[in-house]
Amino acid sequence: MSELVVKASKLTKVYKLFAEEIAAVNNVDLEIVSGEFVSIMGPSGSGKTTLLDMIGCLDAITSGQLEILGKDVSAMAESRLVKVRRGKIGFIFQDFSLIPTLTALENVQLASYFAGKSQKTQKMTVFLEKVGLGPRVNHLPKQLSGGEKQRVAIARALATEPKFLLADEPTGHLDTENSQEILNVFKQLNQEDNLTIIVTTHNQKLGSQTKRTIYLQDGKIVS
Amino acid sequence: MNVVTIACKNLKRKKIRSTLTIGGVAIAVAVLVSLLGFDRGYQQSLTGNIDKMGYQLLVTAKGCPYEAATMMLKGGGGLRYMEQDIYEKIQNDARIDKITPQLVSTAYDPDRLEGQGGFAMYMGITDSYLELKPWSKFKSGQWFSSEAAEEAIMGYEAAEVEQRLVGDKIFIPNIDKVLTVVGIFERSGTQDDGIIFLPLKTTQQIFSLPNKLTGVGIKLKDIQQVGEFEEDLYEEPGIQVISMAQVRGTILNLISSAKVMANSVAVIAIFIAVIGVVNTILMSIFERTREIGVMKAIGASAADIFKLIWTETILVCTAGGILGSIFALLGSGVVEHIIKKILPYAPSGQLVLIRPSLLFGAFVGAIILGIITGIYPAWRAASMRPVEAIRTGE
Ligand SMILES: Nc1ncnc2c1ncn2[C@@H]1O[C@H](COP(=O)(O)OP(=O)(O)OP(=O)(O)O)[C@@H](O)[C@H]1O
Ligand SMILES: [Mg+2]
C-alpha cells in the first residue's frame, strides 16, 4: 500500500491586495501517494506556484485542510512548518537558486548541513553523480551552464534525503535539450528510487511525460 | 561545512565593503586601546617618575606650587631662590629620614642641538642627593672629589647630547666656566638623565648665588607624618611645601579633562563603527533576501539563519578587534610622540602601555560588540518569511 504524501481538501489560499481578495488556490482537493510523478500545468497566474508552496510547507494556508506525510499542517506557523519540511521535502527552483559563493559540492553540503545530515564528500559525490554532474563538483555556480546548475540544485535537494521533491518550473530557464535531460533525471529518480516528484511546468511536451498531470485554472483543478 | 565557513564566504563576497567595515571597527578599537593604554601608561610613568625623585616633600621658595612642582618634575626646580638657612634649620628635625638641598640653574647654549640652541640644566647637589636615590649608578667615573670641586657628573642623556666622557671638559656658556666631567650616571628613566650635576657649593659660587637653594627634597621616616610636618613648615616665611602625592593628583587632574575628551572621541568612533557594521550586515541580508528564502526552503530554520548572520557580524567585529589591536600596537610609538607634544606635562617612560591584558580585553570587547550589534540584523534575516523571500527579485 502506498503512503499518502499529500492530502488536501478544500485547500484555499487567498491573497489580499488592497481591497481585493484573490483566491490564488481555490477549494482544491488533491491526493498524491508516494512514488507518483505529477506535473501541475496551467496558464500563468493559475496558482501553480502557490499550490506548490503550500504543499512544500513554505507558506501557511488560508482555509481548508492539508496533510503532508500524514501530518496536519493546516494551522501550522513557520516555526513548526520548518520542522515538517526540513530533511523531508526537496525544493528545486526555476532559476536554480544556488548559493553563488559555494561550489557545486558545497551547495550540496549546505543542504545536508541544514538538514542535520552527514556532509561526507563521498556521500555528496554520490548525489552529484546521480544527477550526472561528474567532474565539475568544485566549480562555482557561475562556472556552470544552466543545465549543470539545475543538476546541482537537484543534487542539493536529494542531499537532505527527502520523502518527495517539489520543482517549480525546473526547466523554465533551460533550452529544449537541457529541459529534456533534466526531466530524464527526474524520471530516473522516480523510477529507480521510487521518489515522489511534483513539478509545475508550462511545457506541454514535458508535462505529458509524467505519470499524472493536474491542470489548474484560476486556482481550481480543471482535470 | 559549518556556520563559520559559510559566514566567511559571505563576507568575502563583497571584499571591499567587508574590508571597509572591518577597518571602521579596527580604527575605533585602535583608538580605544591606545587611549586605555595611555591611561595606564601615563599614571604608571608619572608614579614611577615621582617615586624616583626619592622624596615625598619638596620645600621651595613661595610661588605657584603647581608651577614649581611641574618644573621640579621637568628637571629640578622653579627658578626662585630660597635661603639655605631654612635647610640648616630643618635638617635636624627628628621626623626626617633623608634630606637633600638642590640648586638648579640653566644656561642658554646657542650651540646645543646641532646649533638650534637650547637650555642646559645644572643642578647643584650634595652627598645626600644619592642617599635619596640609592638606585642611581655610575655608568663610568665617580662622585665629586670635594664639596667645592670644579667638577661635573652628567646624566646619561646629557652626556650623550654633549658627547662627553669622563675626563672631558665641559663649558658652561654665559658664565664662561670650564668644568671636568668626573662621572656619568646610568640611565634612570627620569628627568635626571638630562641634567648636569655639580657640587652645591660650586654651583652657588659660579652662578653667583651664595647661600641660595631652589629646593629641598625631604623623605620622612614615617609617611603618615607628611601632613603634620607640612603644617609645621607653614610657619616659615618665604617657603612652601609641596607633597609629591599632591603633585601626582594635580597632574592627573590636569590631564583628566583631556582624557574625557579623548574618551568621548573613542566612544563616538565605536558608535560610528557599530552603525557601519549594522548597516553593512543589513544591506547584505537585504541583497540576499532570496538566498535566505532558498536556504529556508532547503531546510534552514530561523535559528540557523540567525546563527549565520550573527556569526558574520561577530566575525566582522572580531576581525576589526584584532586588526585594531595590531594598529594600536604598531601605532603606539606615534601616539606616544603626539601625546608628548600635546600634554602640559609628560613624564618620561612609556606613556602608552599596551599590556596583553588590554589586548585580550579589546578582543573580548570586540566579540561582545559583535554579539550585541548582530542581534538586530540576525533577527531581521531570521524572521523573513520563506515564500516572500523567495518571490523577492523574481
Ligand atoms: N504575494 C502575493 N500577493 C498577492 N497576490 C499574489 C501573491 N502571490 C501570487 N499572487 C497571485 O496569485 C495568483 C497565482 O499566482 P502563482 O504565482 O501561484 O501563479 P502561477 O501559476 O505559478 O503562475 P506562473 O505560471 O506565471 O508562475 C496570481 O494571480 C498572482 O497574481
Ligand atoms: Mg509560478
Side-chain angles (χ1 to χ4, degrees), chain A residues 15 17 22 24 43-50 169 202, chain B residues 391:
Chain A
Y15 289 115
L17 213 58
I22 303 166
S44 193
S46 56
K48 302 183 292 294
T49 301
T50 308
E169 297 190 37
H202 279 286
Chain B
R391 292 211 171 178

Side-chain angles (χ1 to χ4, degrees), chain A residues 83-170:
Chain A
K83 293 198 183 103
V84 180
R85 65 174 186 262
R86 149 178 258 171
K88 298 196 185 76
I89 306 176
F91 282 93
I92 292 138
F93 304 92
Q94 179 172 1
D95 67 350
F96 327 124
S97 298
L98 299 176
I99 308 299
T101 48
L102 304 181
T103 64
L105 179 69
E106 289 167 336
N107 263 286
V108 180
Q109 277 176 322
L110 183 69
S112 307
Y113 165 71
F114 286 138
K117 299 201 164 130
S118 149
Q119 301 175 44
K120 283 209 186 76
T121 308
Q122 207 185 353
K123 204 173 136 201
M124 301 299 109
T125 318
V126 171
F127 295 124
L128 284 161
E129 271 166 7
K130 196 170 239 160
V131 297
L133 196 76
R136 289 199 166 41
V137 295
N138 290 318
H139 286 222
L140 287 171
K142 65 174 178 221
Q143 298 161 332
L144 296 171
S145 75
E148 286 166 338
K149 276 187 240 191
Q150 199 59 298
R151 286 170 203 263
V152 177
I154 298 171
R156 177 176 70 177
L158 295 176
T160 65
E161 296 167 45
K163 298 278 196 297
F164 63 97
L165 284 189
L166 296 178
D168 194 6
E169 297 190 37

Side-chain angles (χ1 to χ4, degrees), chain B residues 21 24-26 28-29 32 267 269-275 277-278 310 313-318 320-321 361-377:
Chain B
T21 313
V25 177
V29 169
L32 196 70
V267 168
I270 295 277
F271 194 68
I272 293 173
V274 165
I275 293 176
V277 171
V278 172
W310 214 18
T313 322
I314 294 168
L315 282 177
V316 166
C317 289
T318 309
F363 179 71
V364 173
I367 293 177
I368 293 173
L369 195 72
I371 289 174
I372 295 169
T373 52
I375 290 175
Y376 177 68

